[in-house]
């Protein structure tokens, strides 16, 4: 009797493991492919008086996939600075200009007054300045191009988990008048000179750039 019960227990365990693998494989098969510039099935949305034509595969949230007027659009696109490197995801939030402050403006008005004395290196062409812990910016660093009158500026936050990756945020005003908030992996900073051109390559076709 005990032998039969043990055999049944082992069989149940094997079936559970097999079911888990099956569910995992089905989940992998159902995962949406990454967005591409060739995506179709456009959604028409109007924000800040601009009508945008956005492929449905670019939306981060399913509830936003509908035609009409909106005051916020959350997208996910791919950044490919080099053909030899795998693409990395960039989250893009489009907002009315009145709801966002450009990172370049914050550099002069806010960030410069919160910097520690130390400077960080590691990103060619950018200066890294840690923020003061005492003012609510613990673990944050601002990276900026000190030589440009309209500098590239991004604020990055250290990962919460040891195995996590630092995330950066950059806010800009697009030529169309729409504000764009970019959230991306800190490793993309190494290709910061190509960043805005790559964002234009994605946002211009949908009508958000100009």
């Amino acid at each position: 009797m005990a032998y039969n019960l043990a055999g049944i227990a082992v069989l149940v365990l094997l079936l559970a493991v097999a079911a888990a693998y099956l569910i995992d494989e089905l989940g992998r098969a159902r995962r949406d492919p990454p967005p591409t510039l060739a995506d179709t099935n456009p959604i028409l949305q109007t924000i800040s008086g601009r009508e945008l034509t956005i492929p449905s595969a670019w939306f981060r949230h399913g509830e936003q996939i509908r035609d009409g007027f909106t005051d916020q659009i959350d997208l996910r696109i791919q950044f490919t600075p080099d053909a030899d490197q795998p693409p990395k995801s960039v989250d893009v939030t489009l907002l009315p200009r009145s709801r966002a402050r450009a990172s370049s403006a914050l550099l002069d008005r806010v960030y410069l007054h919160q910097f520690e004395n130390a400077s960080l290196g590691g990103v060619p062409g950018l200066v890294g300045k840690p923020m003061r812990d005492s003012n609510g910016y613990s673990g944050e660093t601002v990276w900026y191009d000190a030589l440009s009158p309209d500098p590239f500026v991004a604020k990055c936050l250290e990962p919460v988990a040891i195995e996590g990756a630092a995330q950066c945020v950059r806010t800009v005003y697009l030529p169309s008048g729409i504000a764009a908030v970019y959230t991306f992996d800190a490793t993309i900073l190494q290709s910061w000179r190509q960043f805005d051109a790559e964002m234009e390559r994605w946002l211009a076709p949908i009508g958000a750039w100009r």
Side-chain angles (χ1 to χ4, degrees), residues 59-115:
F59 285 88
R60 296 206 312 269
H61 309 302
E63 62 270 21
Q64 290 187 340
I65 304 177
R66 52 180 174 76
D67 296 333
F69 291 85
T70 184
D71 60 0
Q72 180 169 325
I73 302 173
D74 298 305
L75 309 176
R76 177 163 293 146
I77 61 178
Q78 298 289 293
F79 179 74
T80 309
D82 193 310
D84 297 331
Q85 298 180 11
K88 296 183 178 180
S89 294
V90 174
D91 288 348
V92 181
T93 298
L94 301 178
L95 300 165
R97 183 176 175 134
S98 60
R99 290 182 54 196
R101 297 180 68 183
S103 296
S104 56
L106 290 173
L107 176 65
D108 293 330
R109 298 172 188 172
V110 179
Y111 297 155
L112 283 175
H113 307 289
Q114 307 296 335
F115 286 160

Side-chain angles (χ1 to χ4, degrees), residues 13 16 25 37 54 59 77 132 134-135 161 165-166:
L13 179 60
E25 288 301 317
L37 288 168
I54 309 168
F59 285 88
I77 61 178
R132 295 175 185 168
S134 59
N135 292 327

Side-chain angles (χ1 to χ4, degrees), residues 7-187:
I8 292 172
V10 171
L11 179 60
V12 170
L13 179 60
L14 290 175
L15 289 174
V17 171
Y21 273 108
L22 179 60
I23 292 171
D24 183 64
E25 288 301 317
L26 289 174
R28 290 174 184 271
R30 291 174 181 172
R31 284 175 191 161
D32 294 330
T36 72
L37 288 168
D39 286 333
T40 55
N41 190 24
I43 302 299
L44 300 179
Q45 293 194 344
T46 300
I47 183 170
S48 295
R50 305 276 304 191
E51 185 176 75
L52 309 185
T53 305
I54 309 168
S56 60
W58 294 17
F59 285 88
R60 296 206 312 269
H61 309 302
E63 62 270 21
Q64 290 187 340
I65 304 177
R66 52 180 174 76
D67 296 333
F69 291 85
T70 184
D71 60 0
Q72 180 169 325
I73 302 173
D74 298 305
L75 309 176
R76 177 163 293 146
I77 61 178
Q78 298 289 293
F79 179 74
T80 309
D82 193 310
D84 297 331
Q85 298 180 11
K88 296 183 178 180
S89 294
V90 174
D91 288 348
V92 181
T93 298
L94 301 178
L95 300 165
R97 183 176 175 134
S98 60
R99 290 182 54 196
R101 297 180 68 183
S103 296
S104 56
L106 290 173
L107 176 65
D108 293 330
R109 298 172 188 172
V110 179
Y111 297 155
L112 283 175
H113 307 289
Q114 307 296 335
F115 286 160
E116 295 280 6
N117 292 328
S119 294
L120 303 178
V123 182
L126 294 183
V127 175
K129 297 290 290 185
M131 306 287 278
R132 295 175 185 168
D133 292 346
S134 59
N135 292 327
Y137 294 104
S138 177
E140 297 184 7
T141 299
V142 172
W143 294 88
Y144 66 98
D145 174 15
L147 302 179
S148 173
D150 184 22
F152 177 97
V153 181
K155 186 173 69 169
C156 302
L157 180 65
E158 294 177 356
V160 177
I162 296 176
E163 66 278 6
Q167 294 290 304
C168 302
V169 176
R170 168 170 166 75
T171 302
V172 302
Y173 294 148
L174 303 178
S176 63
I178 299 172
V181 181
Y182 305 124
T183 305
F184 53 92
D185 191 292
T187 58

